[in-house]
Every structure is written in C-alpha cells, then in structure tokens.
Amino acid sequence: MSKGKSIIPDFMSDNPDDTFKFLFPLKLILDEDKFGNSHYEVVVKNMSKSEVFTYQVSPELLFTHFPLYKSFKNGEKTEYHPSKEIFGKIFTIDSTLINNSVEKNSMNY
C-alpha cells in the first residue's frame, strides 16, 4: 500500500522514472466487517522494464485516480504507451450468484 498519506502506490514512488499500467483486476477482496477496507487485487505492468506483478488497491483509487489501461509515471498520468487494445464490450453480471456465495461463506464463521 502507499506510504503515509500519499495516494501514490509504493511501487511507483520507489521507481519514479518507470511507467506503469494497471491492466485488469483479478479479484475483489471483501472485508465483511468493514466494507471500506475492501480492495482489488490488480495486475500491474511496469512498461519500462516489461515486468508484470499484482498489487492490492482500493476501489476508490482504481476507479478515480488509476483507471485501467492508462499509463502512470510516479503517480501522474502520462501519454506514454497508449492503449490500442481497448474495445467497448457489454456484459451482464448475475449478482444472485455472488450474493448466494457470500451468504454461504458467512454462515461458516
């Protein structure tokens, strides 16, 4: 997670000259007691070194400050490495399946 009160992730502040992209979320990790502590595990690519890794980021940061497939350098949006692979897609999510699995898991505690 980020250092102190900064919203810049550690890996960006540790490598200020590298360009990064948040590629896609792998899973949402819910904190059932405090939903404000929930976060996404996201695949991140260091575009400068061609390294891929996962990082945990809050939903607020992912959707407001670090959107998917945008390039960032030291926490700032850049125009390096523009995305050419993004296409508009529409899909539906059956939330009843999600809610049923959460209810089953919460009953085990």
Side-chain angles (χ1 to χ4, degrees):
M1 302 306 232
S2 61
K3 297 175 183 171
K5 294 186 178 191
S6 173
I7 63 168
I8 299 173
D10 292 341
F11 63 88
M12 282 189 196
S13 58
D14 291 343
N15 302 290
D17 296 326
D18 292 350
T19 304
F20 296 92
K21 272 189 187 182
F22 288 87
L23 299 179
F24 55 90
L26 291 176
K27 61 183 171 181
L28 173 62
I29 302 170
L30 291 174
D31 185 340
E32 293 179 10
D33 296 329
K34 295 182 179 179
F35 283 109
N37 292 338
S38 299
H39 56 274
Y40 282 99
E41 185 172 346
V42 181
V43 175
V44 181
K45 183 173 184 179
N46 181 332
M47 303 302 288
S48 303
K49 298 177 182 173
S50 253
E51 297 173 347
V52 178
F53 57 94
T54 61
Y55 188 76
Q56 295 179 355
V57 63
S58 71
E60 296 84 8
L61 286 180
L62 183 62
F63 296 120
T64 59
H65 295 290
F66 302 109
L68 300 176
Y69 268 87
K70 302 289 182 189
S71 298
F72 296 93
K73 189 172 189 174
N74 201 16
E76 298 291 324
K77 194 181 289 189
T78 68
E79 296 301 320
Y80 301 124
H81 308 287
S83 288
K84 297 176 184 167
E85 303 101 16
I86 298 289
F87 299 102
K89 300 287 183 189
I90 296 174
F91 59 94
T92 57
I93 298 174
D94 186 0
S95 62
T96 58
L97 297 174
I98 296 170
N99 293 335
N100 289 338
S101 68
V102 169
E103 290 171 4
K104 289 177 187 173
N105 289 335
S106 63
M107 295 174 78
N108 294 334
Y109 294 109

